[in-house]
Amino acid sequence: MKVPHLGRVARRLVGRFSSQEDVERDDLFLPHLMGAFARAADIMAKENHHLQENDIAGAAALLPEKTATIEELTALAGQARRKGVHAENLPASFQQVQRRFSEVAAQNAELLQAALVTQEAVMKLLIESAVEANRHGYGWTGEAGSDTSRGSLSLNDQA
């Protein structure tokens, strides 16, 4: 992540305010922060749906939007920390949005971990099949291998 990009995102979202406009900035800050939490939770909920349906392409398509939203949320959360804002001092509506975000994020982490485990198992199967195909059948030069009587699963460039 580039620091200048993050700075642009923060300025765009929060705007440039003079010290005379601190009250106005605080009035705008909380809705921006709540909105970022809500958008991030919505994107992760969509991603979770795709992951539950084993639609990896659909989940991957959400990655740019998810990344941008998480960058925005990170910048706003940093501003909140610098301002000394603590979640327990914020309204119940904010705490509800943050709680939903936490729940969806936890489910997202579980589903992404399961997808990684599945991907690892598939890759292991494909690699083992390719190695097995090289042991049996025909070699690269066309000569018969050590055991041509057994059939085996092999990979080719048409898969």
Side-chain angles (χ1 to χ4, degrees):
M1 174 172 60
K2 295 180 182 177
V3 175
H5 174 70
L6 183 59
R8 266 183 294 165
V9 170
R11 282 191 299 280
R12 185 183 76 225
L13 295 170
V14 179
R16 295 180 186 193
F17 299 99
S18 70
S19 60
Q20 299 166 347
E21 297 171 324
D22 281 343
V23 173
E24 188 177 324
R25 177 174 36 175
D26 288 342
D27 289 345
L28 295 175
F29 181 74
L30 186 58
H32 282 295
L33 185 59
M34 286 178 64
F37 269 112
R39 283 189 305 281
D42 290 345
I43 293 166
M44 284 188 294
K46 289 177 190 174
E47 184 179 37
N48 291 350
H49 174 74
H50 288 295
L51 291 170
Q52 288 169 337
E53 298 293 320
N54 292 320
D55 178 10
I56 304 303
L62 294 170
L63 188 58
E65 183 181 10
K66 179 181 177 183
T67 301
T69 303
I70 295 299
E71 285 178 359
E72 173 189 348
L73 182 57
T74 301
L76 290 170
Q79 287 179 341
R81 277 191 298 279
R82 286 189 297 278
K83 289 180 168 198
V85 175
H86 300 286
E88 58 273 2
N89 299 332
L90 294 172
S93 59
F94 177 84
Q95 292 177 4
Q96 182 180 4
V97 169
Q98 189 179 29
R99 189 171 25 259
R100 177 176 179 259
F101 172 85
S102 296
E103 290 168 359
V104 172
Q107 182 185 26
N108 188 255
E110 290 175 15
L111 290 168
L112 287 171
Q113 183 62 39
L116 287 173
V117 168
T118 301
Q119 179 185 16
E120 183 179 335
V122 168
M123 292 305 296
K124 185 177 178 181
L125 175 67
L126 292 175
I127 290 169
E128 288 174 356
S129 296
V131 169
E132 186 69 20
N134 286 333
R135 286 189 195 139
H136 306 286
Y138 293 98
W140 287 97
T141 60
E143 75 275 1
S146 61
D147 182 7
T148 59
S149 63
R150 263 175 58 188
S152 66
L153 175 67
S154 64
L155 297 176
N156 64 38
D157 63 352
Q158 296 177 3

